[in-house]
Every structure is written in C-alpha cells, then in structure tokens.
Amino acid sequence: MDIVVLGSAAGGGLPQWNCSCLLCRRARAGDPLVVSRTQSSLAVSADGQRWVLLNASPDVREQITRTGQLHPRGGGRDSPIAAVVLTNADVDHIAGLLSLREAQPFALMATRRVHEVLAANPVFNVLNPRLVARRTVGLDEAAAIAGADGEPTGLTVRLFPVPGKVALYLEDPAAGPELGTVAEDTVGVEMSGPQDGARFFYIPGCSRITGDLARRLDGAALVLFDGTVWSDDEMAATGVGAKTGQRMGHLCMSGPDGSIAAFSGLNVGRKLFIHINNTNPVLAGDSPERRTAEAAGWEIAVDGLEIRL
Ligand code: MLT
Ligand code: MN
Ligand code: ZN
C-alpha cells in the first residue's frame, strides 16, 4: 500500500492568506525551516494505479498537479482517482470536491450525516449524480472501496467515531455545549490494503483520546493524528484568535492531557502529526516544541511525503 501526504496543514494552510503571525511570515519569506504546507489530505493506493483520496482539500488542484501518481493517463479525460473518503464536513475537507467536477466518475464515501450535509447544499450537485456514486459507510463497518464503476481498489476502509465537533458553519449554539454535534460528524479512518499488515489510521480531527480509541490504535504500524495545536490556548497566545483547540474540536499536543502524553503508553510503529495549524510552533524546524515532539517519537508530516506499508 502506498500513501502520499498531499497536504499536512490544518484549515487555512501555511501561510494562511490573511495571517501575518511569525510562522506565516517565515513560510511566506521562503524560510527553509518553515516550509509551506497545503491543507490536509492523503492519497492511498493498493496497486499504484488506482488512488483513493482521504478528504478533498481546497488545495486539491495544486496537490494533484504536483503528484505525478494522480495525473490523467492516456488521451482525453481521465483520472486515476477512483474514490474520495471524507472524515467530516469541514470546509478544509470538502471544498476540494468542487474542483473534482468536470464530469469525472468516482465514488464518494462518508457517513450518512456527512452525506446529508452535502445533499443539503445544492452547490455539490456540480458532482454529476450520474457519474459520482455517493456511498454511505456505516460506523465501524468494513467497506471495500470500489470506483464508481464498481471495480475494487483493493483497499478497505472502516470509519469510526472520534470525539470532535460538527462543522463550523453548522454549529448550533442553541443545541447546548456540544453545538449539535452527533457521532457521525467526525470520524477516524482505518485503511487496510490487500497484504497482511498493510493497515494504518488517519485521524485529522479528534478532541480526546478515549480508552476505546487508545485500544484501537495500540499495536498499529502507522497513525497520522490531529496535530492542529501545540497548546490549547495557542490562538489567543499568538494573538490571531480567541478559540481554544478544544472549542475547535482538537486535542493539543503538549501537556499532561495532550496527545503526546496519551500516545506515550501505546505501541505504535510510526506516529505523524498532520492537520497542523499555522500557529503551531512544531512547524518551525528550529523550535523547542519540534524537538520535544521528535524526542517523543513523533514526525511532523510534510506535503509530498511518501510512505509504503
Ligand atoms: C477545523 O479543523 O477545526 C476546521 O477545519 C475549522 C474550519 O472549518 O475553519
Ligand atoms: Mn480542519
Ligand atoms: Zn499564521
């Protein structure tokens, strides 16, 4: 199984269009220690021929352009992208669907809830219903991924609920502290290939590591996990916003209740942070936070990284 990190940043990317925080300024200036990143997404293939996207980021056009494996082959219109799997309905995970129009068949797989959100917004009808097969995946069901034509990709996906939050534009303050969030709003992905042991987890949004989640991840060869913020109050501390990581549905990396501590007792072969916000100091190759994360066995995902399992 081949995995390509198409994008490693959280919503907004690095640099973010309207941000002049230190990290965005360094990235914009071309500082080699703060490399630019597009918004988080992976491409996965069992055979190197047919590919599955995990989320469709607003940067998908650029991501496809710079990833040779995803280029059209032969003459005329073509794409090796057989399917797209969504982990939630956040803008940074669905906006790229609008760039995947142009009468191209593929399968679109998500929870019932995420499909309802897309169905309620007519702009997604640009995905021609005669060509794009919208398939609902039940929670914790092993679903073989096939293209719109029914041809299997050799990959199997399992979507499981993780603590998180409904998409920002659907928040309902009248619905109480959970803002109307339901279990199917945010899921993690377990992806398996046809070979034994080719299996990994992609969890770009998660606000808490429950006992169930820890047991699920223990023993995994590879986990790509929510790296949005280093500390819960980092947006306020860097002066770019008031929301905490928790308020946005994201668990911070540092501290006794953070993800680094939560993973320290788990046996995971390779751990990468992905969906990293432009305020997160781990993005700087010369930061003490980067050294701390790396010393704890974490890698900071970068765009273009390729992993073979
Ligand atoms: C998030 O990850 O919290 C969302 O992408 C935020 C957003 O939609 O801007
Ligand atoms: Mn996001
Ligand atoms: Zn910034």
Side-chain angles (χ1 to χ4, degrees):
M1 179 159 60
D2 286 305
I3 304 165
V4 181
V5 174
L6 298 179
S8 52
L14 175 72
Q16 178 171 314
W17 73 281
N18 63 343
C19 190
S20 61
C21 76
L22 181 60
L23 290 164
C24 286
R25 277 187 281 132
R26 287 180 69 179
R28 213 172 269 124
D31 183 335
L33 290 172
V34 185
V35 293
S36 294
R37 285 169 158 84
T38 61
Q39 296 164 86
S40 65
S41 174
L42 301 183
V44 187
S45 178
D47 58 8
Q49 300 297 313
R50 308 179 77 228
W51 290 81
V52 174
L53 302 190
L54 298 186
N55 291 324
S57 105
D59 302 313
V60 69
R61 178 185 171 281
E62 174 189 347
Q63 292 167 342
I64 291 171
T65 300
R66 67 175 188 215
T67 307
Q69 297 94 317
L70 302 181
H71 291 176
R73 294 163 201 158
R77 296 279 160 86
D78 170 70
S79 172
I81 298 171
V84 179
V85 177
L86 302 175
T87 63
N88 61 22
D90 283 0
V91 168
D92 57 345
H93 292 157
I94 64 169
L97 292 173
L98 302 178
S99 299
L100 299 179
R101 62 197 192 284
E102 320 294 4
Q104 189 62 42
F106 61 91
L108 181 57
M109 301 173 74
T111 63
R112 187 173 42 84
R113 162 74 166 165
V114 170
H115 275 307
E116 281 169 5
V117 173
L118 299 180
N121 190 331
V123 74
F124 291 103
N125 293 340
V126 296
L127 300 177
N128 185 333
R130 286 186 296 107
L131 299 173
V132 175
R134 299 192 190 195
R135 297 188 182 134
T136 298
V137 182
L139 291 180
D140 252 311
E141 147 195 332
I145 304 179
D149 55 2
E151 198 184 321
T153 61
L155 296 168
T156 301
V157 75
R158 185 185 292 272
L159 304 181
F160 54 90
V162 296
K165 187 184 70 62
V166 66
L168 181 61
Y169 57 90
L170 294 174
E171 287 183 1
D172 177 8
E178 300 297 324
L179 306 166
T181 302
V182 299
E184 292 194 349
D185 272 318
T186 307
V187 295
V189 173
E190 177 185 349
M191 181 76 95
S192 319
Q195 307 90 356
D196 269 358
R199 193 173 71 93
F200 75 97
F201 291 90
Y202 177 59
I203 309 173
C206 179
S207 60
R208 198 161 43 87
I209 298 183
T210 61
D212 269 0
L213 180 56
R215 279 186 288 280
R216 200 186 279 273
L217 300 180
D218 204 13
L222 173 68
V223 177
L224 295 109
F225 191 77
D226 184 342
T228 310
V229 289
W230 175 258
S231 48
D232 196 48
D233 64 353
E234 159 184 314
M235 301 267 291
T238 50
V240 300
K243 280 188 189 166
T244 61
Q246 282 299 306
R247 174 62 184 78
M248 298 187 294
H250 299 292
L251 176 64
C252 64
M253 296 180 181
S254 66
D257 300 322
S259 50
I260 293 178
F263 272 83
S264 65
L266 302 182
N267 170 27
V268 174
R270 193 170 175 190
K271 301 174 282 202
L272 288 97
F273 281 122
I274 194 161
H275 189 279
I276 307 161
N277 196 49
N278 47 67
T279 50
N280 190 326
V282 298
L283 289 168
D286 53 359
S287 68
E289 291 86 357
R290 169 73 70 93
R291 279 198 298 280
T292 301
E294 287 178 347
W298 285 87
E299 293 170 61
I300 309 303
V302 287
D303 294 17
L305 177 72
E306 299 191 10
I307 298 172
R308 176 160 285 180
L309 274 185

